[in-house]
Amino acid sequence: MTTAILAIDQGTTNSKAVLVSTDGAILARGASPVGIEHPQPGWVEQSPQRLWESVQEAIAACLAAGPAVNILGIAISNQRESVTVWDAETGRPLGPVVSWQCRRSALACADLIAAGHAPRVQALAGLPIDPMFPGPKMKWLLDRVPEGRPVRLGTIDAWLIHCFTDGAVHACDAANAARSQLYDLNRREWSDELCTLFGVEKAALPEVRDSASRFGVTRNVPGLADGIPIASAIGDSHAALFGHGAFNPGDGKVTFGTGSSIMTTLPRFIAPEQGITTTIAWSIGGKPTYAFEGNILVSAASLPWMAEMLGLPDVQALTELAATAGPGGPGFVPAFVGLGAPYWHSDARALFCGITFNTSRAQMARAVTDSIAFQVHDVFKAMSAQSPVPLGRLHADGGPSRNTFLMQCVADTLGHAVIQCDAPEASALGAAYLAGLSLGVWPDLAAIAALPRAANAIAPRASDATQRLAVWKDAICRSTLTGPSTMSE
């Protein structure tokens, strides 16, 4: 019987399950939608129970689609910065999953910033104070728990580990902990200072373990035998970076989706500046690998919106129209929920600027597609300025990365080659590789780096990117209500 690792990729909209053989091949896939709720404007949440049900459904679909296998272990990749709370005794959810997209903590964040806490939080946690990150969301959840109830609080990997082990284990991995705002990156432990600042009970937080680690074994999971080890856990963006084999300092990746995440590995911890963050990419054998990261809040999500606005049938039609645009044209900033890295301006607003009677539909479409590349450019430039090593191979994954026109725009704007990866399961594969390390399937990183990967390098070419970037900078100034003199060149 074939042996395989069952990798879970629990995302914002769907949960996926992937069977990965011991030679790195994908044997089967399965998926199930999660569902998203918007109880108030700016609030985004999910049902913890529905999230777990969607994982079970994805597993069932995957196992039904694949060959009979002996499952060596389970790997978990999960949406990051989303958090939930549950009863420590019964395992019953005591609140929703508050999504990374949720802005309900905006006022609390503004108060913390006004009180002068932002520099200290960034120095300890590597993250800015922004509604994207979990600290104030955790406080919001705890404030609504019935008094006297023993609680467990955690990131999505912690919730899934709880569910897979039938409540036996309360743990998360170092990469997910690093995105919580409560984890001291240098000391590599939950910070008493940060927990006090955000009003979070430290005792409710999970134990932090290596990304390639044993997180207990399955118990009472429908469709799975008891005793299968949970052999890895890691945030989805970190998992994709690992899946690409970006093991050398300076190597990086861009994940394109609703938003985008740009990550580049570092030789050591470096305190972030210029609007980017520092995080733990993964931890193996007690040793963390650090990375710079820039989180873009709205990236490819603007494409279907613009396609509908222009009366086009789909995103493919939009990009085909954009490819015909002549020089010039307006600027577009997709600040539908504010701006993330490197600006971190929650009050920014989406806009077009520079529209004239001569502006064409193609130029409008191009402004939207360009905004994806320009946001990556601004993060990449900030990383380059701070990195102690030159930025090296840059991989691209996520659905939009398969669009060659979009990726050529990114390469042209960066002046840096982009490796277009044929790996829609990059996060699941990365988690599976980590599980394979934990289980002894692969002996070391060199063996994982040697696994076959389908990729296409897109070299930058001569373009009018410099002129388009000037229009973009002006649009950013208008979006954030700042004057051009305040923008760095």
Side-chain angles (χ1 to χ4, degrees), residues 179-351:
R179 306 302 291 178
S180 69
Q181 275 187 322
L182 304 179
Y183 196 68
D184 187 320
L185 292 187
N186 266 309
R187 298 174 64 90
R188 302 201 301 277
E189 62 185 25
W190 296 120
S191 166
D192 290 323
E193 181 180 345
L194 291 172
C195 286
T196 299
L197 175 64
F198 288 108
V200 173
E201 183 182 350
K202 184 178 175 181
L205 295 171
E207 175 190 351
V208 181
R209 302 183 184 177
D210 280 339
S211 309
S213 180
R214 301 295 182 101
F215 290 90
V217 298
T218 55
R219 189 169 70 178
N220 298 326
V221 179
L224 294 179
D226 286 352
I228 301 172
I230 294 91
S232 72
I234 188 169
D236 52 10
S237 193
H238 311 247
L241 186 70
F242 194 87
H244 292 311
F247 303 144
N248 296 318
D251 285 350
K253 64 93 198 179
V254 186
T255 296
F256 293 95
T258 301
S260 288
S261 165
I262 302 100
M263 298 181 77
T264 55
T265 52
L266 293 169
R268 62 185 183 277
F269 173 79
I270 297 173
E273 300 174 356
Q274 300 183 34
I276 60 174
T277 66
T278 300
T279 191
I280 293 175
W282 52 77
S283 181
I284 300 171
K287 182 180 179 181
T289 293
Y290 292 99
F292 279 148
E293 180 167 10
N295 300 100
I296 295 169
L297 302 183
V298 175
S299 181
S302 60
L303 299 180
W305 171 81
M306 193 59 190
E308 182 179 358
M309 293 287 285
L310 292 177
L312 299 171
D314 52 32
V315 168
Q316 181 63 33
L318 179 75
T319 59
E320 289 173 358
L321 177 63
T324 68
F332 170 71
V333 179
F336 295 98
V337 291
L339 285 170
Y343 321 100
W344 295 112
H345 201 304
S346 61
D347 294 327
R349 292 294 175 263
L351 57 78

Side-chain angles (χ1 to χ4, degrees), residues 12-13 34-47 96-104 140 258 301 336-337:
T12 305
T13 57
V34 181
I36 300 176
E37 299 172 6
H38 302 271
Q40 295 184 32
W43 289 32
V44 186
E45 65 186 41
Q46 296 173 300
S47 162
V97 171
V98 181
S99 170
W100 62 273
Q101 297 174 308
C102 187
R103 312 297 289 177
R104 74 185 65 194
W140 186 93
T258 301
F336 295 98
V337 291

Side-chain angles (χ1 to χ4, degrees), residues 103-129:
R103 312 297 289 177
R104 74 185 65 194
S105 60
L107 290 178
C109 289
D111 290 342
L112 289 166
I113 293 170
H117 294 298
R120 184 60 177 164
V121 171
Q122 183 132 334
L124 291 175
L127 302 172
I129 297 177

